[in-house]
Amino acid sequence: MEEKFDAIIVGGGIAGLSAAMTLARGNARFLLIERGEFCGAKNVSGGVLWGSDLARLVPEYWKEEGGFERFVNHRRLTFMDEGSAFSADFKSNHFDEAPYKGVTVLRAVFDAWLAEKVQEAIDASAHPDESFIATDILVEEILKEDGRVVGIRAGEESFYANCVILAEGVNNLLTRQIGLEGDYVPDDYVAVGVKEVMKLDRARLEDRFQLQGRSGLTNEFVGAGSDGVEGGGFLYTNTDSISIGLVLGLKDLKKKGKTPYDILNGFKAHPSVADMIRDAETVEYSAHVVSTGDIRALPSELFADGVMIVGEAAHLLLNAGKAIQGMDYAMRSGILAAETAMEATKLGDFTSATLSNYRKALEGSYVLKDMRSFQDAVHLLHQEQMFGPIPNMICDFGRQFFTIDSEPTEKASKMLRAAIKRHTSYWDLVKLGLKAGRSL
Ligand SMILES: Cc1cc2nc3c(=O)[nH]c(=O)nc-3n(C[C@H](O)[C@H](O)[C@H](O)COP(=O)(O)OP(=O)(O)OC[C@H]3O[C@@H](n4cnc5c(N)ncnc54)[C@H](O)[C@@H]3O)c2cc1C
């Protein structure tokens, strides 16, 4: 057998690069293989990288010019019907201090920047000439000997390692190849995300959204924007562009015979959205599958002899209405798998017995804790009422409440009763309220 790496990482997205950074800092010898021309070339996110794990990987990253776009200090959740928008809006100077709790990113920029940071860590490690980031290479096969993963094959070349970290993202063909996930993924475990990046002069953008320096806004949308299809919209501010898009349930799209691009055009034309993107020019369009955050989608196990599955390859993602958390889950799982690989190197044991510590660490972290705690909220969000009747009711109430038309004014409670009657029923609302109370 050829000389072995300590680890091979398949995929140079956030999960793979986070594992690589951790291994480089731990002086491990590793090979990261990415099929894109460069890290980030093939990746799509809304995208807000939530939480503070980025500071664990790149301390004081906020002092750098590159990498992230803006930090989030202003959040908005908007309910829409055909012509109105009712928002909960929260802005706080608590979010102005680094380390930030959320930063907007453009993946082609961010992943490439993170890959540069990994290369710097390799250069500073004990084995600068024995770890590599190799791009433009597709891993086609996971190699096994005596039932244990021992390496990978890319074209004619085979590479061997003590363990393989699969960070291949949601289209996890290699995870399926080794039997940790079935070939068929139910269509309610995945959604489709469509997104445009729209360029807008920086000064105009900052003026329009009241941004200072590198501060930014995130706006999520529920209701008419998804044209009756399960899902929701998002709008995030970057340095001199806006990311706008939708995440739509595949099953519901199929059932209703609608196409994501038409729905996105309708969303962009909604009066409250059109005002925000006025004069901005579309410079990029992308579409990507994304997990729904249903915990039933997790592979049968996240490790086996010689292998660990990280990030969205393991369907680690939470979308419980407050935010899509896929990138922070990818980051933390990548870090934990790399730490387990280094522990295994010390013990000289890469069997499931040691690699199961990855699962234990993940269970102890916010990743699996939150996925378990908020499963009911994930399912609640997929109920038809959440993207039709409820936003319509909220906007109906808003329209009555904020209208002053030189007629005697009804009490707010009467307006609310009228809105409930028109769009749903007390009984449905009570049931929904109880579910929401339990799940959030
Ligand atoms: C429209 C949309 C909006 C989203 N918004 C957000 C958001 O706001 N916040 C958030 O946290 N998450 C968001 N997500 C989810 C987030 O993008 C993913 O959860 C995250 O990218 C997962 O990271 P990963 O590293 O596991 O996988 P990926 O980022 O998909 O990376 C996988 C990498 O593996 C490479 N690869 C795959 N197969 C092979 C192979 N065989 N050989 C070599 N290389 C391979 C790919 O090219 C890719 O670079 C969004 C997703 C979509 C689609």
Side-chain angles (χ1 to χ4, degrees), residues 71-359:
F71 70 87
V72 178
N73 75 345
H74 189 179
R75 298 197 60 185
R76 193 184 290 152
L77 173 63
T78 301
F79 297 91
M80 1 162 84
D81 68 10
E82 290 299 325
S84 331
F86 195 124
S87 299
D89 191 282
F90 187 75
K91 187 171 188 177
S92 173
N93 61 4
H94 281 90
F95 297 133
D96 288 347
E97 299 294 321
Y100 302 121
K101 297 293 179 279
V103 291
T104 58
V105 297
L106 291 167
R107 293 292 299 276
V109 177
F110 180 77
D111 291 18
W113 169 82
L114 194 54
E116 270 172 34
K117 295 283 149 200
V118 173
Q119 189 56 54
E120 284 171 21
I122 292 173
D123 294 342
S125 76
H127 313 288
D129 301 323
E130 292 171 79
S131 290
F132 308 93
I133 300 177
T135 55
D136 227 354
I137 297 171
L138 175 75
V139 175
E140 290 160 71
E141 191 186 348
I142 298 296
L143 302 175
K144 278 181 156 185
E145 272 171 22
D146 302 326
R148 171 181 183 283
V149 171
V150 292
I152 58 100
R153 181 181 63 76
E156 301 293 301
E157 307 258 22
S158 295
F159 298 94
Y160 295 90
N162 288 323
C163 76
V164 171
I165 298 177
L166 282 179
E168 56 181 333
V170 63
N171 195 16
N172 57 0
L173 301 178
L174 300 172
T175 304
R176 295 177 209 185
Q177 200 182 86
I178 56 170
L180 289 181
E181 183 161 312
D183 280 341
Y184 174 73
V185 179
D187 53 6
D188 49 350
Y189 292 178
V190 281
V192 61
V194 282
K195 174 187 165 186
E196 286 185 20
V197 177
M198 304 187 76
K199 202 100 183 143
L200 188 63
D201 170 73
R202 182 171 182 166
R204 266 184 100 177
L205 179 98
E206 291 178 348
D207 226 27
R208 185 172 295 176
F209 294 98
Q210 302 168 355
L211 308 177
Q212 299 280 345
R214 276 183 105 172
S215 76
L217 161 94
T218 65
N219 198 161
E220 274 84 22
F221 300 83
V222 194
S226 68
D227 196 17
V229 174
E230 171 196 322
F234 58 84
L235 182 150
Y236 304 138
T237 55
N238 303 314
T239 308
D240 58 0
S241 66
I242 294 166
S243 291
I244 183 166
L246 293 158
V247 173
L248 301 162
L250 260 188
K251 192 176 179 175
D252 210 32
L253 264 177
K254 220 161 55 178
K255 190 170 110 195
K256 293 180 176 147
K258 296 190 175 170
T259 56
Y261 192 67
D262 289 338
I263 302 177
L264 182 56
N265 278 340
F267 175 55
K268 284 167 61 188
H270 188 280
S272 68
V273 177
D275 279 348
M276 288 197 266
I277 58 172
R278 198 174 345 106
D279 300 329
E281 186 202 347
T282 301
V283 289
E284 197 182 300
Y285 176 79
S286 50
H288 206 283
V289 172
V290 56
S291 306
T292 55
D294 192 319
I295 206 159
R296 291 173 298 175
L298 253 61
S300 55
E301 196 35 280
L302 301 176
F303 62 90
D305 287 337
V307 65
M308 289 175 276
I309 323 287
V310 298
E312 230 189 308
H315 294 283
L316 297 173
L317 183 138
L318 183 67
N319 182 5
K322 202 161 67 168
I324 303 178
Q325 288 180 260
M327 290 189 276
D328 51 336
Y329 282 24
M331 199 166 257
R332 177 59 71 94
S333 59
I335 293 171
L336 294 178
E339 286 173 354
T340 307
M342 291 191 299
E343 196 184 303
T345 306
K346 271 195 212 136
L347 296 171
D349 176 19
F350 297 88
T351 64
S352 301
T354 301
L355 300 192
S356 63
N357 288 337
Y358 162 58
R359 171 92 194 207

